[in-house]
């Protein structure tokens, strides 16, 4: 079984495929990490969400539920950081929040808690 990729079925499945092909676990961890970095950079460049069908299928969610759930998870994980970093108007998270609200006609909690 793939280790350390329990949070995202997309990356866990990728790691498991490499393990099934006989790759060494350390090589698999490196490859999964590399893929994560490439996906992250592509998301930042295109200003889009990581929302592959495999994640939506795994969680049995539609696109709206998946993206709103992802946003709330990010905010929850960031709640331990200084709130001053999260409330400025030019913050990228505010842009994402507004995009989600406009695209899916939902109101997200503005308090980042």
């Amino acid at each position: 079984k793939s280790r350390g990729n329990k949070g995202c079925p997309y990356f866990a499945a990728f790691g498991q495929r490499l393990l099934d092909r006989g790759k060494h676990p350390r090589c698999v961890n490196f490859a999964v990490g590399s893929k994560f970095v490439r996906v992250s950079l592509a998301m930042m460049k295109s200003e889009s969400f990581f929302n592959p069908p495999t994640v939506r299928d795994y969680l049995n969610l539609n696109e709206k539920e998946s993206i709103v759930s992802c946003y709330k998870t990010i905010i929850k994980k960031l709640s331990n950081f200084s709130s001053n970093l999260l409330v400025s108007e030019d913050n990228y998270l505010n842009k994402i929040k507004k995009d989600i609200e406009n695209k899916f006609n939902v109101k997200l909690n503005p308090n980042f808690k």
Side-chain angles (χ1 to χ4, degrees):
K1 212 56 174 139
S2 179
R3 302 173 305 164
N5 301 309
K6 297 173 189 163
C8 179
Y10 177 82
F11 293 105
F14 174 68
Q16 190 60 50
R17 283 192 308 272
L18 294 176
L19 286 172
D20 292 345
R21 290 189 342 209
K23 300 294 182 185
H24 190 276
R26 286 188 185 169
C27 292
V28 170
N29 287 340
F30 182 80
V32 170
S34 178
K35 186 170 195 75
F36 176 79
V37 169
R38 289 192 318 270
V39 168
S40 299
L41 290 173
M43 288 170 36
M44 287 187 277
K45 184 176 179 180
S46 66
E47 295 186 0
S48 64
F49 292 101
F50 179 65
N51 194 22
T54 53
V55 173
R56 289 194 307 268
D57 293 345
Y58 177 80
L59 298 174
N60 199 22
L61 300 173
N62 64 31
E63 183 183 18
K64 175 184 174 181
E65 292 169 332
S66 177
I67 289 176
V68 170
S69 171
C70 178
Y71 176 80
K72 288 180 179 180
T73 301
I74 291 169
I75 295 303
K76 183 179 177 183
K77 288 183 183 274
L78 291 175
S79 66
N80 295 331
F81 293 97
S82 171
S83 61
N84 294 340
L85 298 173
L86 300 175
V87 294
S88 73
E89 284 301 316
D90 60 343
N91 187 300
Y92 190 68
L93 284 173
N94 280 327
K95 179 185 183 313
I96 292 172
K97 177 179 164 280
K98 289 174 187 173
D99 289 348
I100 293 171
E101 289 176 338
N102 291 335
K103 182 175 182 178
F104 297 112
N105 198 25
V106 296
K107 187 69 177 155
L108 297 172
N109 185 358
N111 296 331
F112 295 104
K113 298 280 181 190

